Amino acid sequence: MANGVGGVKHQQQLQILWSLLNISYNTFTAAPRTSLTRVRNNWIQPLGHDTGLKTYNSLTKQKEPLILAQEGIATWYSCGPTVYDHAHLGHACSYVRFDIIQRVLSRVFGVSVIHVMVITDIDDKIIRRAIEESISPTVLARMYEEEFKNDMLALKVLPPAVYLRVTENIPQIVAFIEGIMRNGHAYATKQGDVYFDIRSIGDRYGKLMGASHVGDMGSKKRDSRDFALWKASKPQEPSWSSPWGKGRPGWHIECSTIASSVFGSQLDIHSGGIDLAFPHHENEIAQCEAYHQCGQWGNYFLHSGHLHLKGSAEKMSKSLKNFITIKDFLGSYSANEFRMFCLLTKYRSAIDYSDTSMNEARSFLATIAAFNHDAKAYMRGQLQCQAVQEEALWELFVQALADDFDTPRAVNAIMTLIYQGNRNLQPITKPDGSPRSPAVFGAILAYIRDVFEVLGIDLVDIKEAHSVNCSGTLENVVEQLARFRTEVRAFALSVEDVPPGVPSHVRPRPHPDRVPLLKACDKLRKDLAPLGVHIKVSICACLCVG
């Protein structure tokens, strides 16, 4: 794995921070960058560092080489939540999938991801909910923001470099709107609203989804596709001062402003759910390119597929009231199980959620835990097996390293490795003198542990969960073992028949050839006691854990 699992070194981190300090403000206000080449489907392939990876780009509807402006650094912006309600599994699916990709980029390919996420803490939905609950929009937003962050922590999603709230960036948003107006791409109404002028950018609108959409015309707009950059204030709504009067930002302008304020006039990667492609991301592109006067602002747009409840064609969403909260989900399943569930499909594919699909993910983890247990037993010499086919295992070991964002293929490679390992871990009744290969299994276990650590799955947690799930089975096994010992001991203690004519005072004797069985039963009882299993006379078994 490039640069190891630990990521960039301290000196490289300082260089990254220094470079960002140099580019952030200057590029926010500077002339457009020209480090782009090769036009395809209105997308310009950027110049820069070719990572050797390919990723599906929503701008071209095909896989493209991932080329970053700076070697070893990916600037990444993602749309965060609108914090007016509990986060649900649809949100979790998108965030976990992109967390996996970011982990792979940084820990496998040595790319430091500088990730910024916005928290939408002012919005029509927030205002409506606050009025319904008779609390301030700020209190409501902070409450659900904190819950969202705790949910992400519970799902083991790495936090971004920084969360930025919309309400804390109002002056920057106003300045950004003024810049768009100066460039001739927005207009204000008498009522104090400001709209983006779609006609002013001609056929450059619609890079993601096309320009055929017809919106709500309204009396204030010049074109039905025009959208609000600034909304005039209404009674009972929070508002801020601006050159156009009191008001608040439109939905799309917040992301364009905040992404530009951090990363400038060019962004490597923008991510979000596929439902955000239109109108949100489409309008972000229009705003940024109008402000920066550049031909291409975001180089790669990555979109995750919807999560559906199995049997439903509709996505999981708050508005449809068909969602499962993350907190409720984690009452039944673990973060590891959900992450495995996400890994089993490509990130941009729709995914069906059901108990069956979750049980499939749980089964994969149980297989990994069982192999981990058996391989360690083999390494300790507690399991006698046939000779290991080292060449085949090492070949699979190397092939699995070549997988990148295709997580189903990556997981399949690992499971194939485990399957091949299990084939070589079939116990045999007698040692056949075959050479032992504990180092091979040690390497496999280390590789599997490292790979799943990169993907965000902790095998220690899996082991603990596996132990809990197996506790009931273990009790049954111990009970059967104790019952078998009792029957063997009774057989060993049985006496020889007294021949006819023998005086009655002569006591019958145990069978001499059964004495070793009796000693083995006593030894088993003594050996199990230190392990917490106490076998008592006339009682099958008592399993004590202490």
Side-chain angles (χ1 to χ4, degrees):
M1 297 181 185
N3 293 339
V5 174
V8 294
K9 296 180 181 179
H10 179 66
Q11 184 176 2
Q12 292 173 308
Q13 291 173 331
L14 291 176
Q15 291 173 345
I16 290 168
L17 291 172
W18 180 250
S19 64
L20 285 174
L21 287 172
N22 284 337
I23 68 169
S24 59
Y25 178 77
N26 292 335
T27 52
F28 184 43
T29 56
R33 299 172 64 170
T34 57
S35 57
L36 303 161
T37 187
R38 284 184 60 191
V39 178
R40 178 167 57 251
N41 298 335
N42 294 320
W43 178 73
I44 310 168
Q45 180 174 297
L47 290 174
H49 175 69
D50 191 338
T51 62
L53 304 176
K54 286 191 175 182
T55 186
Y56 186 88
N57 192 351
S58 295
L59 290 168
T60 63
K61 308 298 188 291
Q62 65 184 39
K63 290 182 181 180
E64 303 290 353
L66 180 59
I67 299 173
L68 304 176
Q70 300 180 70
E71 183 175 357
I73 302 174
T75 56
W76 186 310
Y77 179 83
S78 65
C79 302
T82 300
V83 283
Y84 73 98
D85 205 341
H86 305 288
H88 58 67
L89 283 191
H91 302 128
C93 188
S94 182
Y95 293 122
V96 168
R97 283 168 149 182
F98 287 123
D99 178 70
I100 291 167
I101 292 176
Q102 290 180 355
R103 286 171 180 266
V104 169
L105 274 175
S106 62
R107 301 187 183 190
V108 178
F109 297 104
V111 175
S112 181
V113 178
I114 311 300
H115 178 205
V116 171
M117 179 183 290
V118 71
I119 299 290
T120 301
D121 60 343
I122 184 65
D123 176 84
D124 293 342
K125 295 174 182 176
I126 294 173
I127 294 169
R128 282 197 298 267
R129 177 61 62 85
I131 292 173
E132 290 170 4
E133 299 188 7
S134 300
I135 59 176
S136 77
T138 300
V139 171
L140 181 86
R142 294 294 182 273
M143 179 176 67
Y144 284 116
E145 176 187 336
E146 189 64 25
E147 184 179 292
F148 167 78
K149 290 177 179 177
N150 288 335
D151 285 341
M152 293 300 102
L153 186 64
L155 290 169
K156 302 179 183 178
V157 173
L158 297 173
V162 63
Y163 288 106
L164 292 171
R165 297 180 181 132
V166 173
T167 56
E168 294 174 354
N169 284 271
I170 299 298
Q172 294 90 329
I173 291 172
V174 170
F176 200 87
I177 295 171
E178 288 180 306
I180 294 174
M181 294 183 75
R182 279 196 304 271
N183 292 337
H185 300 298
Y187 57 92
T189 68
K190 294 179 181 179
Q191 293 81 8
D193 298 299
V194 180
Y195 287 95
F196 189 89
D197 187 354
I198 292 290
R199 293 178 187 174
S200 70
I201 61 172
D203 59 3
R204 287 163 50 203
Y205 185 74
K207 288 189 173 183
L208 281 172
M209 307 297 289
S212 59
H213 173 75
V214 177
D216 177 24
M217 184 61 197
S219 58
K220 307 174 186 177
K221 299 198 288 187
R222 297 175 183 173
D223 189 287
S224 62
R225 298 170 297 170
D226 293 352
F227 54 89
L229 303 180
W230 187 262
K231 297 181 177 182
S233 65
K234 297 178 182 178
Q236 294 185 304
E237 288 189 357
S239 61
W240 290 264
S241 298
S242 79
W244 319 286
K246 287 275 191 177
R248 59 185 174 88
W251 175 28
H252 317 297
I253 195 65
E254 63 191 50
C255 290
S256 294
T257 301
I258 291 172
S260 294
S261 68
V262 177
F263 297 124
S265 62
Q266 190 175 356
L267 176 70
D268 289 324
I269 299 171
H270 194 309
S271 66
I274 188 61
D275 54 312
L276 295 177
F278 187 89
H280 187 50
H281 293 168
E282 196 77 81
N283 292 346
E284 277 188 68
I285 293 171
Q287 291 168 155
C288 285
E289 293 181 358
Y291 177 88
H292 296 294
Q293 295 183 283
C294 62
Q296 183 165 293
W297 166 64
N299 290 333
Y300 301 88
F301 274 77
L302 277 56
H303 290 108
S304 59
H306 285 148
L307 182 138
H308 302 265
L309 290 173
K310 191 164 186 178
S312 172
E314 296 176 323
K315 70 169 184 174
M316 184 178 289
S317 72
K318 296 174 186 175
S319 60
L320 296 173
K321 307 294 184 184
N322 64 347
F323 64 90
I324 301 169
T325 67
I326 295 172
K327 188 177 294 184
D328 287 346
F329 169 83
L330 291 175
S332 302
Y333 298 101
S334 70
N336 278 333
E337 288 165 346
F338 186 72
R339 190 165 287 253
M340 178 58 77
F341 165 75
C342 293
L343 285 166
L344 294 177
T345 57
K346 294 183 178 180
Y347 78 91
R348 53 190 173 89
S349 301
I351 186 170
D352 287 332
Y353 171 82
S354 67
D355 286 337
T356 300
S357 57
M358 286 307 306
N359 286 332
E360 180 186 8
R362 179 175 284 175
S363 176
F364 271 78
L365 293 176
T367 299
I368 296 166
F371 173 74
N372 185 65
H373 176 273
D374 291 346
K376 287 182 177 179
Y378 172 81
M379 293 175 67
R380 289 191 294 262
Q382 297 169 348
L383 183 65
Q384 293 292 333
C385 302
Q386 298 174 354
V388 175
Q389 303 299 316
E390 295 189 33
E391 291 184 5
L393 287 174
W394 281 116
E395 183 180 354
L396 288 167
F397 180 76
V398 173
Q399 286 176 352
L401 283 172
D403 291 306
D404 51 14
F405 298 160
D406 191 347
T407 57
R409 184 178 163 211
V411 171
N412 182 66
I414 297 167
M415 298 310 293
T416 301
L417 181 64
I418 290 174
Y419 169 74
Q420 294 293 336
N422 278 329
R423 287 183 60 187
N424 287 278
L425 286 175
Q426 296 304 312
I428 55 178
T429 55
K430 293 182 180 180
D432 59 1
S434 301
R436 290 176 50 76
S437 304
V440 174
F441 280 97
I444 294 171
L445 289 177
Y447 167 69
I448 292 172
R449 182 190 63 238
D450 288 347
V451 166
F452 278 108
E453 183 182 346
V454 165
L455 299 174
I457 291 179
D458 188 344
L459 293 186
V460 174
D461 289 348
I462 294 175
K463 181 181 177 182
E464 291 176 354
H466 182 67
S467 299
V468 171
N469 292 336
C470 290
S471 61
T473 303
L474 179 59
E475 287 192 36
N476 293 332
V477 170
V478 170
E479 185 178 343
Q480 291 299 321
L481 175 64
R483 184 174 290 118
F484 175 74
R485 176 192 173 276
T486 300
E487 292 175 358
V488 171
R489 189 170 186 274
F491 175 74
L493 288 171
S494 64
V495 297
E496 295 177 326
D497 294 332
V498 179
V502 175
S504 60
H505 68 275
V506 177
R507 299 180 63 181
R509 297 178 305 172
H511 294 275
D513 58 342
R514 299 180 187 179
V515 172
L517 288 176
L518 190 62
K519 291 181 178 179
C521 287
D522 289 341
K523 186 176 186 301
L524 176 63
R525 178 175 59 82
K526 292 177 182 178
D527 289 345
L528 289 176
L531 301 176
V533 179
H534 302 281
I535 300 176
K536 299 178 181 179
V537 178
S538 76
I539 299 178
C540 284
C542 175
L543 179 64
C544 301
V545 179

